[in-house]
Amino acid sequence: MTQLEIMGANAKNASVFLRTAGSKKDDALLAIAKALREHSDEIIKANEIDIENGKNAGLTESLLDRLRLTPERINGMAEGVEQVAALADPIGNVLEGRTLKNGLNIEKVRVPMGVIGIIFEARPNVTSDAAALCLKAGSAVILRGGKEAINSNLAVSEIMRNAVESVGFPKDCIALVKDTSRQSATELMQLSDYLDVLIPRGGAGLIRSVVENAKVPVIETGVGNCHIYVDESADVQMAANIIFNAKTSRPSVCNAIETILVHKNIAQKALPEIKKLLDTKNVEIRGCETTRKILGDSVIPATEEDYAKEFLDYILAVKVVDSLDDAIDHIAKYSTGHSESIITNDYNNANKFTACVDSAAVYVNASTRFTDGGEFGLGAEIGISTQKLHARGPMGLNELTSCKFIIRGNGQIR
Amino acid sequence: MTQLEIMGANAKNASVFLRTAGSKKDDALLAIAKALREHSDEIIKANEIDIENGKNAGLTESLLDRLRLTPERINGMAEGVEQVAALADPIGNVLEGRTLKNGLNIEKVRVPMGVIGIIFEARPNVTSDAAALCLKAGSAVILRGGKEAINSNLAVSEIMRNAVESVGFPKDCIALVKDTSRQSATELMQLSDYLDVLIPRGGAGLIRSVVENAKVPVIETGVGNCHIYVDESADVQMAANIIFNAKTSRPSVCNAIETILVHKNIAQKALPEIKKLLDTKNVEIRGCETTRKILGDSVIPATEEDYAKEFLDYILAVKVVDSLDDAIDHIAKYSTGHSESIITNDYNNANKFTACVDSAAVYVNASTRFTDGGEFGLGAEIGISTQKLHARGPMGLNELTSCKFIIRGNGQIR
């Protein structure tokens, strides 16, 4: 057996324990939170090595910032774990049930997934976030973070493993892959004997690699080429406010918009208002010909690639369209199926947009920035699924579970 | 573009139409049923070619029987399509919803999956069954049947395509892959730009090949190494009746049992009763040492492989176990996660078995043969999922759908 197969087998054993752990899972989570705070210095020492290595490797200041842990951030990680402990347990919920004519009593019950794999990139706080959610959902977790954060991740995961053990849980409820080579990632993607699902959290490159290489069922997350369509009937000021918010409140996240589509009959009036707000944050506009006619030559001509791109930056592509149908077609062609919004006062157009746009979250008159487990009231979030199978949109605890049928009889045969 | 990519693109276009087709889908289904009856002769003519080819290729009589279509069987296919038309439309169901503090109204709504691929083996009736279920669930379908049934499948699919067109639907709501080579199957498994999910229906070899080669999300179906555990406290006659039913009522299906586990304290009493019934159908017993001590040398010694095998035949593996825990461990090791049953009068053992056995359907005092969409009251069934993601157990219309969030506001920003 390879190292990873041994880790998989151990995680599978631990998952058997978790299946019936019930509310003791909360004791384990509270023990983790306590241990993270108590071992804060230790974590920071390990993190300093990562920061030093990162500087030597020439990481940008923004990447170093994502990587950096402080006492406040570690306290935030502990608080996150405590919040997960406070959520209702999804396991054991009866999703549906009935008694059949033959007297069989049949129930569909929420059960743990088993073993969940999470592949993620540079942020070490994901280690505790993801582990806490998986544990609460009754599953063992195998974490594989980026090499930049390996020392921090190792420290955090060892502290968590010892913490769960201190309340009688198997350490292997939580495991971290120490080998951060590309091979270890590929091997994890193919660990189908032990992993029930694999969730990649990170950029488009990571997601693509997982989808292409995985033999384990995957839930794709996070890539968001999001759109706002300004309908002919839109309130111009509302449109400008929402676009400004959706583009500039946090451009680096997946629910920020990358392209706006503006109906030709409102473009003359709306585009200058929109630009006025965007200019306050120096947003670069890449527009179609009509956009440039209206807004002037300061607008960079948009290319095909601009419409397909997730800028994650202060850049916005703009296209003037002839109709709602054209907007829907553009979105069908370029969207990654994350979040799209229509700004409109027209009842039928609102309904048509929500029915025809095939994305995880479709909005009317609101910012796409709300696509988030916390904002949606799911309590916590492991990621945002952009695929249609199993989970779509923000994934909370329920999406980390499976179900099974339990059938009780008194001798029924068929 | 390859032929299959063109087919995928056409199906994706058709799926846009289906997204808002509403109850007109039932008109299309009734048109299909009518057309199947009207063109019965044509289908039978095509089927005769398959039968002739099958005879020349040396297919067994039971395979030829699965392949054969008669006027009655075609009428049965038409009735199946009418039954699907009569089911409630799953699309548009609001799964949950709430109004957030900021006034946003958020709903999670059931929506079509998009394009569904089905890979199946020799039975031509699957062509109309699968197409009807996908259509009702609002998705376009790409079917790829086995080469043995290609002429029958082509006839049936052309009739269905014309029928849906006659009521104003795009033909490409239903498509059949004409090329039955292994390459075409592999290409279909990797058609991720167009397929939202791929469902293999068939034997263990097909399922394994799909899981290993697919880049498209897959729902594994059907392989069933099912167990019955006879607890110390079982009613012996009930145990014998249920085992007899689960093994012999239809040994070739996935919900038939392959192994029984018998508690050592009841084996002496139960095994002869069980054997007495099984002998009436000449079931071959492959047993552990203790089983052979009790039942005699007519019992073949069971090997490790026997416990791992889906016999799909009048063969049953038998093992005497020391405890409920040993039974649970044996099932964890050998089960494919389909259906398992405990026969017991002990309340705690019943609860422990249902909690600890990690299979799609877990029974107490009933035959595993009930694991079936029709029996469970789902109305129809596309297959039985043995994976934990998205769908588990019998899959009906709901399991062929996805969901999305629709969020309505009046200018909310974050």
Side-chain angles (χ1 to χ4, degrees), chain B residues 189-206:
Chain B
M189 295 172 203
Q190 306 188 342
L191 207 63
S192 16
D193 285 347
Y194 305 105
L195 276 191
D196 292 290
V197 61
L198 182 64
I199 304 174
R201 286 186 55 162
L206 171 68

Side-chain angles (χ1 to χ4, degrees), chain B residues 22 115 190 217-218 252 399:
Chain B
V115 181
Q190 306 188 342
V218 168
S252 65
E399 284 70 30

Side-chain angles (χ1 to χ4, degrees), chain A residues 10 98 134 171 177 200 267 277 316 320 334 355 359 388:
Chain A
N10 290 341
R98 66 192 73 87
C134 292
K171 272 190 171 193
V177 180
L277 278 181
L316 182 69
V320 174
Y334 294 104
S359 295
K388 296 191 196 168

Side-chain angles (χ1 to χ4, degrees), chain A residues 19 245 354 356 404 414, chain B residues 19 245 354 356 376 404 414:
Chain A
R19 216 177 280 156
N245 176 262
T354 55
C356 293
K404 74 179 175 195
R414 186 177 168 194
Chain B
R19 216 176 281 157
N245 175 263
T354 55
C356 294
F376 274 16
K404 74 179 175 196
R414 185 178 169 193

Side-chain angles (χ1 to χ4, degrees), chain A residues 145 195 340:
Chain A
L195 275 191
E340 334 287 343

Side-chain angles (χ1 to χ4, degrees), chain A residues 208-262:
Chain A
R208 202 177 319 111
S209 156
V210 170
V211 170
E212 279 178 8
N213 293 307
K215 298 208 190 307
V216 172
V218 167
I219 302 179
E220 285 182 60
T221 65
V223 180
N225 185 8
C226 303
H227 298 75
I228 287 180
Y229 166 62
V230 182
D231 192 35
E232 188 174 1
S233 66
D235 176 315
V236 166
Q237 199 50 54
M238 183 195 286
N241 289 341
I242 289 176
I243 288 166
F244 179 71
N245 176 262
K247 179 71 256 182
T248 69
S249 61
R250 208 170 158 200
S252 65
V253 293
C254 56
N255 58 20
I257 56 164
E258 308 296 357
T259 295
I260 62 168
L261 306 164
V262 182

